Amino acid sequence: MSKKDAYPSTQGMRKPDVGKVTYKRMFQQLVAGGGAGLVEICLMHPLDVVKTRFQLQGSGSSVQYRSVAHCFGTMYRTEGFLSFYKGILPPILAETPKRAVKFFCFERYQHLFSGGGDKTPLVYSLAGLCSGLTEGLVCNPFERIKILLQSEKDVKLKDQESTFSKARQIIRNEGFGMKGINRGLTATLGRHGVWNMVYFGVFHSFKEYIPKSESQTQQVVYKLCLGLTAGTLASVINIPYDVAKSRIQGPQPIPGQIKYYGAHSTIVMIYKEEGFLALYKGLVPKFLRLGPSGAIMMFVYESLSEFLAKKYP
């Protein structure tokens, strides 16, 4: 048999319209990522408020929360039930595009770093890191507003100024830059970059080891447990950046004087003044929130992404 017969020519054969499918798939990933973010924030926001309160309290704070239960109880008694949803509008406005950006960019970055070849744990981790940095750039202004709204202990939700009013106030008084609406950008980049690096690296590296089962329920449980584990590990590792971010973006100890500014200088300052464990303030509510969030987000994203792919192939 000649080489010509063994390898028939493809000349004249119609090539698949890869571009069209790719762009449709990209849009589906954006929609699935946005849906995952919206579901996650609506379910888990109260724990985010509690986490922020713990991270903002220093040694001289007027209210000292002793535990997650004590914080929930104190807020409920003094500020009412709706206080658990303080600052929820900025994350709702940001979380849908933010999660859309996260998952969309992860898909693009992993393809870029793998060069179209095999995907390794390093590829997943680098893609997660870069998607987190991109996400941090998008969401930082919303985070600044959210932290300020969550820090208001003496104001009930119905009496708080609106998200847009708070944004205008920040821009009017402090501007758009790193001392204004974008204060805390380096800490936000650190928080999101590290979290996504660990989360995507762990989830996708171990996903292939999930036992195959004919039971759909069992497969769902396996993936939820893996997402929970990845989210919890990521939360434990990145929390120093999270504490620094809350201190930088929240009210300063002395009004009118900026004590906390850069991410790493703030981490060092907290360590020197309050000790190593102060860098892990809010850890319990953080992983109570982001552990389950890791499971919820990935489950909703993959389920919605698969549904869209089947519905609109």
Side-chain angles (χ1 to χ4, degrees):
M1 182 183 290
S2 68
K3 284 187 177 182
K4 186 175 181 180
D5 294 329
Y7 303 99
S9 173
T10 58
Q11 188 175 2
M13 292 177 64
R14 186 185 175 193
K15 295 182 180 180
D17 192 356
V18 177
K20 185 177 180 181
V21 174
T22 300
Y23 285 121
K24 182 187 288 186
R25 188 67 187 133
M26 287 180 182
F27 180 73
Q28 290 171 350
Q29 289 165 353
L30 282 169
V31 173
L38 185 61
V39 171
E40 183 267 336
I41 194 63
C42 290
L43 291 176
M44 308 305 293
H45 187 73
L47 283 165
D48 189 54
V49 177
V50 171
K51 178 211 72 175
T52 300
R53 290 294 180 88
F54 270 101
Q55 292 176 344
L56 286 174
Q57 66 178 15
S59 56
S61 298
S62 57
V63 179
Q64 291 289 333
Y65 302 115
R66 298 189 297 272
S67 65
V68 173
H70 178 249
C71 184
F72 269 112
T74 302
M75 288 179 64
Y76 179 76
R77 285 194 309 273
T78 59
E79 303 171 53
F81 174 77
L82 291 178
S83 65
F84 301 126
Y85 289 90
K86 282 183 173 180
I88 193 172
L89 188 56
I92 284 179
L93 293 174
E95 212 68 21
T96 301
K98 170 181 160 183
R99 299 303 191 210
V101 166
K102 176 206 290 282
F103 285 100
F104 174 78
C105 288
F106 174 74
E107 299 289 352
R108 305 283 70 74
Y109 283 129
Q110 68 168 332
H111 180 74
L112 174 67
F113 291 133
S114 67
D118 293 337
K119 296 180 177 67
T120 64
L122 178 61
V123 168
Y124 293 133
S125 297
L126 284 175
L129 173 64
C130 291
S131 69
L133 293 175
T134 308
E135 179 189 33
L137 284 171
V138 172
C139 75
N140 189 64
F142 295 94
E143 288 289 324
R144 175 80 204 285
I145 300 165
K146 182 195 76 172
I147 293 295
L148 289 175
L149 290 172
Q150 288 180 344
S151 68
E152 294 177 352
K153 300 176 183 179
D154 302 322
V155 183
K156 292 191 175 183
L157 183 63
K158 65 179 182 179
D159 299 322
Q160 275 194 315
E161 60 184 314
S162 71
T163 297
F164 301 104
S165 176
K166 179 65 76 174
R168 285 195 300 270
Q169 181 190 73
I170 296 170
I171 293 169
R172 183 173 61 250
N173 296 336
E174 302 171 12
F176 282 97
M178 296 284 284
K179 293 185 178 180
I181 197 75
N182 264 303
R183 184 189 296 179
L185 178 60
T186 54
T188 301
L189 292 175
R191 184 182 79 156
H192 287 266
V194 172
W195 196 91
N196 284 283
M197 178 181 68
V198 176
Y199 177 67
F200 283 113
V202 170
F203 185 89
H204 287 285
S205 297
F206 287 94
K207 182 181 174 182
E208 61 183 277
Y209 298 107
I210 293 177
K212 302 298 181 184
S213 173
E214 294 181 1
S215 169
Q216 185 68 25
T217 302
Q218 200 168 22
Q219 285 293 301
V220 168
V221 170
Y222 285 146
K223 287 186 178 181
L224 286 174
C225 288
L226 181 55
L228 175 68
T229 302
T232 301
L233 283 173
S235 300
V236 172
I237 291 171
N238 88 325
I239 193 170
Y241 281 108
D242 200 5
V243 174
K245 173 184 163 301
S246 293
R247 294 291 181 94
I248 295 167
Q249 294 183 330
Q252 299 295 296
I254 302 174
Q257 296 183 20
I258 297 178
K259 179 179 181 180
Y260 305 112
Y261 187 69
H264 296 105
S265 63
T266 297
I267 289 172
V268 171
M269 190 183 301
I270 293 170
Y271 171 73
K272 288 180 177 179
E273 294 181 355
E274 302 174 43
F276 177 76
L277 291 180
L279 295 172
Y280 288 83
K281 282 185 175 180
L283 178 61
V284 173
K286 181 179 173 70
F287 73 63
L288 282 177
R289 182 209 164 196
L290 288 177
S293 291
I296 293 167
M297 275 194 305
M298 193 61 77
F299 174 71
V300 174
Y301 173 75
E302 291 196 336
S303 299
L304 190 51
S305 182
E306 289 173 11
F307 169 78
L308 291 171
K310 290 178 181 177
K311 187 75 173 176
Y312 306 101

